[in-house]
Amino acid sequence: MQTLHTALAAVSLDRRIKVSTPHSLGILSTSSPPSTGKFRQGYDVHVLKPLLSFLRATNSPFMINPYPFFGYSAETLDYALFRPNSGVLDENTQRVYTNMLDAQLDAVFSALKILGFTDVEIVIAETGWPSDGDEGQVGVDVESAAEYNGNLREHVMSGVGTPLMPNRTFETYIFALFNENLKPGPLCEKHFGLFQPDLTPVYDIGIMRPTARASIPWSPAPAAAPQLGPAPQQLPKDGKQWCLPQSDAHSDALQKNIDYVCGLGLDCKPIQEGGACFIPDTVRAHAAYAMNAYYQATGGSESDCDFEQTGALTDVDPSYGRCKYLGQ
């Protein structure tokens, strides 16, 4: 990790790219109640303390993989799935926990506190719930998987935080994008994905476009709210089309579009200083080039110009001077 960081620093990327490593909850010797969370003896001083010192010095997060799925029982299923329940009291802090994820996160926080690293950000590197499993497994089905991941998404983004870490959001990664039909082991290990190996959706947790949602055989997610803003443009299909920002699109959203497209590795040199499309040097102008580059590279489907309702199609070529926009 130190070597990777040094290499990034050598090319001035250390502030943009952080180096960390994920940990299972097996690094804890105790985790219940959450206030007693403690790292395993030996690992705490000789491995984790130097690692945490590195993370603090480089402003990088401590990454953990909390899985309520591996800690639940039939009696605690509601607690694991963020359903209404009576809660669990930590008698040491008198804090009541209404879901298992918060308890797992706070156990890690308590362990960090012992070593003096509560200022290091916690990132959920992976968590999830399977949609199928062996016969007799309670709560292992499509409905429960969609419920866990949907409630997870709402909870970590709500800003509520946890009893010991209030008023926080948590950067979170869902395991997994795809089911792994060739993976060995229990049946549930093959079915953590949001999509099947053939790219068809297993279920939706509110992140899919309506066109993709329609192909789900069963979806527990509520119907999508009506789209706000201008209706999608219906343009003639016999001529070229380009994707440009909508007139009312906010510059912050357009900057995100630029970061997203260029982060995929598409050619953004024309909008970098000295490039043919750098002038005018505005977020809107640069976003126009980047959004169109993405639209053209992905095949020119109307949905590829959506950009969270900030993009619109046009049949008017936006090229100017040496700045040439691809069109199809």
Side-chain angles (χ1 to χ4, degrees):
M1 290 172 64
Q2 290 173 334
T3 302
L4 286 171
H5 175 75
T6 300
L8 289 166
V11 290
S12 301
L13 288 175
D14 52 305
R15 292 188 178 182
R16 294 179 59 188
I17 302 174
K18 301 299 180 180
V19 180
S20 188
T21 186
H23 307 272
S24 76
L25 293 188
I27 58 175
L28 298 177
S29 59
T30 58
S31 61
S32 183
S35 60
T36 64
K38 188 177 182 179
F39 292 126
R40 290 169 57 187
Q41 188 173 4
Y43 283 86
D44 53 355
V45 174
H46 299 293
V47 178
L48 293 172
K49 191 170 184 179
L51 185 146
L52 288 163
S53 296
F54 167 81
L55 297 179
R56 173 186 280 167
T58 59
N59 195 30
S60 302
F62 185 60
M63 305 180 78
I64 60 165
N65 301 344
Y67 276 93
F69 172 73
F70 293 116
Y72 89 104
S73 64
E75 293 72 29
T76 59
L77 182 61
D78 290 346
Y79 182 58
L81 293 176
F82 301 91
R83 292 171 179 168
N85 62 87
S86 57
V88 176
L89 175 67
D90 185 331
E91 294 185 354
N92 296 327
T93 61
Q94 292 299 302
R95 305 292 178 90
V96 175
Y97 288 82
T98 58
N99 67 82
M100 192 179 294
L101 182 76
D102 280 358
Q104 292 178 339
L105 291 173
D106 276 358
V108 173
F109 178 80
S110 296
L112 290 172
K113 187 176 182 179
I114 292 174
L115 295 183
F117 290 94
T118 55
D119 57 314
V120 175
E121 178 188 5
I122 292 175
V123 164
I124 300 174
E126 63 176 72
T127 187
W129 198 279
S131 59
D132 196 8
D134 295 315
E135 187 176 354
Q137 282 190 285
V138 178
V140 184
D141 47 53
V142 173
E143 295 91 336
S144 297
E147 190 172 7
Y148 176 79
N149 283 324
N151 289 337
L152 165 78
R153 176 173 173 260
E154 291 183 4
H155 182 63
V156 298
M157 295 173 62
S158 68
V160 173
T162 71
L164 295 184
M165 296 180 286
N167 306 316
R168 291 195 191 184
T169 57
F170 293 92
E171 184 174 333
T172 302
Y173 296 86
I174 294 175
F175 183 87
L177 186 58
F178 294 105
N179 280 340
E180 300 173 277
N181 57 320
L182 301 180
K183 188 175 184 177
L187 184 62
C188 67
E189 289 285 348
K190 306 174 188 284
H191 290 90
F192 273 85
L194 301 178
F195 293 85
Q196 301 285 8
D198 64 2
L199 311 186
T200 58
V202 180
Y203 56 86
D204 180 29
I205 59 170
I207 62 174
M208 295 173 60
R209 294 190 176 115
T211 51
R213 191 182 301 120
S215 65
I216 306 176
W218 180 90
S219 176
Q227 274 197 336
L228 301 177
Q233 298 184 35
Q234 301 298 323
L235 297 172
K237 297 298 181 183
D238 54 350
K240 293 183 178 181
Q241 295 181 16
W242 294 264
C243 177
L244 300 175
Q246 290 192 14
S247 59
D248 59 349
H250 194 276
S251 59
D252 288 347
L254 296 181
Q255 183 61 56
K256 288 182 180 179
N257 294 346
I258 297 171
D259 295 341
Y260 173 72
V261 172
C262 297
L264 292 175
L266 294 180
D267 184 15
C268 288
K269 290 181 180 177
I271 56 175
Q272 295 173 359
E273 190 168 1
C277 302
F278 179 71
I279 302 297
D281 182 14
T282 66
V283 171
R284 177 169 293 275
H286 291 177
Y289 184 89
M291 291 164 66
N292 183 68
Y294 176 85
Y295 170 71
Q296 306 298 340
T298 53
S301 170
E302 184 175 332
S303 61
D304 292 322
C305 185
D306 182 70
F307 288 97
E308 297 185 341
Q309 301 179 35
T310 62
L313 293 174
T314 179
D315 56 359
V316 178
D317 187 352
S319 300
Y320 58 93
R322 294 189 303 112
C323 181
K324 304 300 181 183
Y325 281 62
L326 294 175
Q328 62 179 14

